[in-house]
Amino acid sequence: MLSGLINYPTVLTTLGGDKMNENADDDALILDVRNLSVDYIAHGRPPAHALEKVSFQLRKGEMLGIVGESGCGKTTLMLSLMRLLPAAGRIVNGEINFLGADLLNLNEKAMADVRWKNIAMIFQGAMNALNPVRTVGSQIAEPIARHTMNTLNDLHPIHNANRNGKATQSPNGNGHYAGKNLNPLRTVGSQIAETIKHHEAISDKGILDRRVAELLDLVGISPNRRDQYPHQYSGGMRQRAMIAMALACFPDVIIADEPTTALDVMVQAQILELLATLRQQLGLSVLFVTHDLGVVAEVCDSVMVMYGGVVAEYSDVDTIYNSPQHPYTQELLKAFPDVAHPHSKLTSIPGYPPRLDALPAGCRFAPRCPCAFARCHQAPPPLYHLGKFHEASCYLVEKTKVGIQE
Amino acid sequence: MSHYLFKKIGWALLTVGFVVVLNFFLFRILPGDPARAVKDPRLTRQSIEAVRVRFGLDKPLPVQFLLYVRNLAQGDLGTSFHQQRPVATILVENLWNTLLLIGAGTVLSILLGIVLGVAAAWKSGTIIDYGALIGSLAAWATPTFWFGMILLFWGSSQLGLPIGGKLTAGASYDSWWEQWLDVGKHMLLPTVTYTIIYAGQYTLFMRSAVLDIFAEDYILTAKAKGLHSFQILRDHALRNAMLPTVTVVALNLGFTVAGAIEVEKVFSWPGLGQTIIDSVERQDYPVLQGAFLLLAISVIFANLLADLLYSYLDPRVRVT
Ligand SMILES: Nc1ncnc2c1ncn2[C@@H]1O[C@H](COP(=O)(O)OP(=O)(O)OP(=O)(O)O)[C@@H](O)[C@H]1O
Ligand code: SF4
Ligand SMILES: [Mg+2]
């Protein structure tokens, strides 16, 4: 079980800590996304504004639900965070402050180090997200082997000495590391290597195997199935394996993009329960993308409702359910009145989301909004702050606002 | 695994049996009396009849068929009308030469095709990609005999390579490796012709297979894991992209024996293709019958090989 896992310090040494922001004193703040805008560029057509000025924060241990109709940009947002947008996607504006540094400023190599090590992702369709010709176990082991040695190198200056070539000197010739505890007859390097092997050498096959077994056990899969292939797993097991994989490197943030969509209802419930349990146990910070407001109510702390690439309303779960201010949120809840039957689809709002390459001049929701008035068709509403943690982008709340997002 | 194996081998054997039967009747319904193919104007009617008797052509069909099957089981494919030698001996001689040529050509073209195809896909949209694409389309579209003749002309005039055959006529060799050097010189041009023509096809195939794989979700997963692009290529794309390629290569393998005909003709390479052409001209039915059987069986076994390789590469096939 979990206590058996070798815990690695999840310090992000690849990132500079120089970039301070107003929330820097907030220790629990992990992710602070600001004014993120993404376009999809197509040849000979106007760019599609898939995200416009999206801002949100994620704190340690928080589970943030991101809801909205199909095509509102949820996956685009998640992929932007990992900087894995498809070729046509461009991040045109914004910041992704992660543990105090902007991910958008990292070079590709540093970003590759952040992926999975710091931000891991559970994909929607586990069948397709797993490679069919490799065993599940090897795919879980892969990110561990990829990232853990890096972390060791970065975290342990001693280990760096190994790379600098000094490690072949004997302790006496290397005053810095000399000490009673070192065997003077053997090189520093060999002794360090031994130590690492003893405690944390994840490249060591046996330890790697044990980690994989523990991870599988953690998500309720018998470890002796690790040498099986994805097609030998049921849909639910594949999704569990995805979760085990996401946990492999003790990420600071886990992104779950509709992790239960492709599953049947019973299995959905099991996977949700697993996620909720793991989150409690491990104190995970999760971005949880879903269509399903009922699920959000069950498992999330806060909710960001998106519409057509913008934030419609953003607050804690209670506020969103008990006093929604944005007409879109209200319509969603109406279309979905009973939290006890959380599996109906969000289809009953008449009309369709806007085309992203031909957006309405005003509020993106105006063509479908039951409360729309003249002004809504002229200019898009800004995001109004309604309280310490409640934001909505609708002219109707202008009178009750306490501030405006820049 | 073993169940799958047995099933595949069983089917292959069954197909061979079917081909054996078909091959017999195919050659009985073809026009032209084989006996007359033994061209000699001095032959009298009696001697023609004697030839028919000698080759067993006077007996009723069912008896001929039984004899054919019995002889086949003993490795006897009959006697060549023209050369008066056992067909099996002729075929084995020629098959060896053909295998030498297409063996070298196939291995080289597969290697070249995989390397170029993967490089093109990996650097897709760059000059490398366009170069590989245009080059392989050109190679694919080029008629084999035309390309062979250009190479033959250029190679013999500029590089002093032999213009055909397998060995220099009348040459004597001090050692076996001198002889092999001579064979190598003769083989060079036909092998290059063969390699380039087929590599084009394999390059295109490998390129599109890798590009397809790059669009798969599990490649996104691999990127999300922070793997480097070479790691992704090696650990997640290559094996998967080999799957469709293996099928094409193995299917080709059967047909390449026949496909070598053009190359052999241009370079006068004493192989199976050359023999088939000669036998058609001389209506040498026993040789043709034997050659057809050999080709059919090689196609069947290439298929079997593809299936087995596929099941090794793709675990989803292994279990079913
Ligand atoms: N590669 C792409 N090129 C162009 N447009 C794209 C691309 N990928 C997504 N889009 C567009 O961006 C918008 C947002 O898509 P996204 O996949 O982020 O939506 P989503 O909220 O995740 O939807 P779903 O709930 O169906 O998964 C959609 O309108 C989509 O058409
Ligand atoms: S701004 Fe106008 S159109 Fe937009 S949600 Fe508010 S009321 Fe509706
Ligand atoms: Mg999506």
Side-chain angles (χ1 to χ4, degrees):
Chain A
M1 284 310 290
L2 192 64
S3 54
L5 295 172
I6 310 141
N7 206 342
Y8 285 90
T10 50
V11 176
L12 193 69
T13 45
T14 44
L15 302 175
D18 49 317
K19 186 123 172 64
M20 290 298 170
N21 56 57
E22 60 178 270
N23 286 310
D25 52 332
D26 185 349
D27 278 349
L29 190 67
I30 297 177
L31 192 60
D32 182 12
V33 174
R34 307 205 158 204
N35 294 322
L36 191 67
S37 301
V38 170
D39 285 354
Y40 283 110
I41 321 270
H43 226 61
R45 276 194 289 155
H49 304 295
L51 290 180
E52 187 117 353
K53 292 198 171 174
V54 173
S55 302
F56 66 91
Q57 290 79 39
L58 186 73
R59 287 178 176 73
K60 187 147 182 46
E62 177 182 351
M63 191 145 170
L64 168 61
I66 294 161
V67 287
E69 284 165 301
S70 185
C72 72
K74 304 181 297 290
T75 299
T76 302
L77 178 58
M78 296 306 119
L79 291 178
S80 317
L81 300 182
M82 295 194 93
R83 283 183 34 195
L84 283 175
L85 283 173
R90 301 281 139 73
I91 297 177
V92 289
N93 186 34
E95 295 167 16
I96 302 172
N97 295 304
F98 178 69
L99 296 175
D102 188 351
L103 291 184
L104 298 179
N105 291 336
L106 296 187
N107 63 24
E108 184 50 34
K109 190 179 168 300
M111 189 62 214
D113 289 341
V114 171
R115 293 188 187 122
W116 219 268
K117 171 81 196 78
N118 300 101
I119 306 176
M121 189 150 176
I122 301 166
F123 291 92
Q124 183 163 342
M127 184 60 197
N128 301 328
L130 293 169
N131 187 335
V133 308
R134 295 197 34 200
T135 63
V136 173
S138 81
Q139 295 185 64
I140 295 175
E142 194 172 34
I144 308 174
R146 157 68 176 88
H147 288 289
T148 310
M149 287 320 285
N150 277 355
T151 322
L152 286 178
N153 288 340
D154 290 338
L155 291 180
H156 299 274
I158 293 176
H159 197 236
N160 279 334
N162 212 342
R163 284 167 163 178
N164 297 339
K166 287 180 187 166
T168 45
Q169 295 177 4
S170 65
N172 289 339
N174 192 341
H176 189 63
Y177 298 128
K180 282 182 194 155
N181 299 334
L182 286 175
N183 180 341
L185 299 179
R186 288 175 50 198
T187 63
V188 177
S190 72
Q191 292 176 66
I192 294 166
E194 179 186 72
T195 317
I196 292 168
K197 234 187 206 127
H198 221 79
H199 296 293
E200 14 192 14
I202 269 310
S203 65
D204 187 356
K205 177 123 178 24
I207 298 178
L208 195 57
D209 280 354
R210 217 182 81 216
R211 266 303 290 285
V212 171
E214 281 163 349
L215 283 163
L216 283 173
D217 190 44
L218 193 66
V219 297
I221 296 177
S222 161
N224 57 26
R225 298 192 66 163
R226 69 154 154 252
D227 290 330
Q228 290 189 331
Y229 292 89
H231 72 275
Q232 291 166 288
Y233 278 32
S234 68
M237 281 175 73
R238 281 195 285 267
Q239 200 54 272
R240 283 167 193 270
M242 261 320 286
I243 294 172
M245 202 154 92
L247 294 172
C249 297
F250 289 91
D252 304 281
V253 176
I254 290 182
I255 296 172
D257 189 355
E258 302 190 38
T260 61
T261 305
L263 306 170
D264 67 56
V265 178
M266 272 295 286
V267 182
Q268 277 192 12
Q270 289 168 0
I271 295 291
L272 277 175
E273 195 184 311
L274 173 69
L275 264 177
T277 315
L278 286 174
R279 188 209 151 200
Q280 292 289 323
Q281 255 181 314
L282 310 177
L284 304 174
S285 319
V286 184
L287 291 173
F288 187 83
V289 175
T290 180
H291 284 142
D292 200 324
L293 272 172
V295 167
V296 168
E298 269 172 55
V299 298
C300 292
D301 307 305
S302 42
V303 190
M304 181 165 76
V305 180
M306 291 180 67
Y307 183 81
V310 297
V311 177
E313 189 161 5
Y314 177 34
S315 189
D316 57 274
V317 167
D318 284 347
T319 310
I320 291 288
Y321 282 85
N322 298 325
S323 58
Q325 295 302 307
H326 196 287
Y328 179 61
T329 317
Q330 292 163 355
E331 289 299 311
L332 277 186
L333 287 167
K334 249 189 258 166
F336 181 75
D338 191 355
V339 176
H341 298 99
H343 297 295
S344 43
K345 284 272 182 301
L346 308 175
T347 46
S348 44
I349 304 175
Y352 299 98
R355 286 189 49 157
L356 298 174
D357 53 354
L359 288 167
C363 173
R364 292 189 180 194
F365 189 49
R368 295 166 77 189
C369 180
C371 322
F373 52 105
R375 193 179 167 195
C376 306
H377 295 284
Q378 286 150 14
L383 196 63
Y384 297 107
H385 292 259
L386 303 177
K388 191 166 185 306
F389 179 33
H390 190 184
E391 295 160 9
S393 59
C394 173
Y395 288 125
L396 293 176
V397 301
E398 196 178 9
K399 284 180 276 306
T400 51
K401 70 162 194 280
V402 297
I404 297 182
Q405 173 107 358
E406 296 307 316
Chain B
M1 174 67 200
S2 57
H3 177 69
Y4 176 82
L5 196 80
F6 282 126
K7 210 171 89 186
K8 286 292 168 192
I9 293 178
W11 272 111
L13 292 177
L14 211 68
T15 318
V16 169
F18 182 72
V19 162
V20 164
V21 175
L22 192 74
N23 201 37
F24 174 80
F25 288 103
L26 188 66
F27 279 86
R28 306 297 133 167
I29 56 174
L30 284 179
D33 187 339
R36 269 204 258 130
V38 190
K39 288 194 191 94
D40 194 333
R42 288 163 305 174
L43 281 184
T44 59
R45 271 191 55 205
Q46 281 88 340
S47 25
I48 289 180
E49 202 45 45
V51 169
R52 291 178 62 89
V53 172
R54 185 168 150 223
F55 289 108
L57 297 172
D58 57 329
K59 303 200 174 59
L61 264 193
V63 179
Q64 282 188 36
F65 179 69
L66 287 178
L67 281 175
Y68 160 81
V69 173
R70 194 196 67 192
N71 291 343
L72 204 58
Q74 294 168 352
D76 180 1
L77 291 170
T79 309
S80 160
F81 291 159
H82 178 75
Q83 299 188 37
Q84 312 289 339
R85 290 198 300 149
V87 170
T89 316
I90 297 173
L91 288 183
V92 166
E93 271 171 27
N94 294 315
L95 181 66
W96 165 237
N97 287 340
T98 293
L99 284 182
L100 194 65
L101 178 63
I102 63 172
T106 300
V107 169
L108 287 177
S109 61
I110 289 174
L111 287 180
L112 196 64
I114 288 178
V115 169
L116 283 179
V118 169
W122 198 23
K123 301 285 175 201
S124 104
T126 67
I127 188 97
I128 297 177
D129 185 21
Y130 294 130
L133 203 59
I134 292 169
S136 33
L137 276 173
W140 200 6
T142 306
T144 311
F145 67 92
W146 180 82
F147 185 59
M149 277 179 336
I150 301 267
L151 268 188
L152 179 61
F153 179 74
W154 175 75
S156 56
S157 62
Q158 303 294 312
L159 304 178
L161 288 168
I163 58 164
K166 188 186 169 193
L167 291 168
T168 311
S172 62
Y173 305 99
D174 291 338
S175 60
W176 62 266
W177 66 264
E178 261 184 36
Q179 183 179 350
W180 271 103
L181 198 69
D182 195 31
V183 172
K185 272 189 197 161
H186 282 79
M187 248 182 86
L188 188 63
L189 290 178
T191 307
V192 168
T193 308
Y194 188 94
T195 303
I196 289 178
I197 296 283
Y198 277 92
Q201 197 180 341
Y202 295 149
T203 304
L204 293 175
F205 218 86
M206 199 66 197
R207 176 182 177 274
S208 82
V210 173
L211 283 181
D212 282 351
I213 301 287
F214 278 169
E216 294 280 350
D217 284 352
Y218 56 79
I219 296 295
L220 184 64
T221 310
K223 285 183 191 162
K225 283 175 175 176
L227 303 185
H228 302 300
S229 39
F230 181 72
Q231 255 178 316
I232 295 174
L233 184 74
R234 187 191 59 198
D235 298 343
H236 288 279
L238 265 188
R239 183 160 165 199
N240 309 50
M242 286 309 290
L243 289 175
T245 311
V246 159
T247 317
V248 170
V249 168
L251 285 180
N252 256 347
L253 220 55
F255 292 110
T256 46
V257 180
I261 290 180
E262 280 180 274
V263 180
E264 290 182 2
K265 184 75 187 164
V266 171
F267 293 95
S268 319
W269 185 258
L272 213 54
Q274 184 80 22
T275 308
I276 289 175
I277 292 176
D278 292 346
S279 306
V280 167
E281 281 165 1
R282 295 166 182 147
Q283 294 192 10
D284 196 340
Y285 278 43
V287 176
L288 281 180
Q289 195 177 21
F292 275 40
L293 192 63
L294 197 65
L295 292 188
I297 289 176
S298 63
V299 171
I300 292 166
F301 277 93
N303 271 326
L304 180 65
L305 193 72
D307 280 336
L308 298 184
L309 213 58
Y310 211 106
S311 78
Y312 168 73
L313 286 172
D314 191 344
R316 286 165 296 186
V317 176
R318 226 175 283 166
V319 200
T320 40

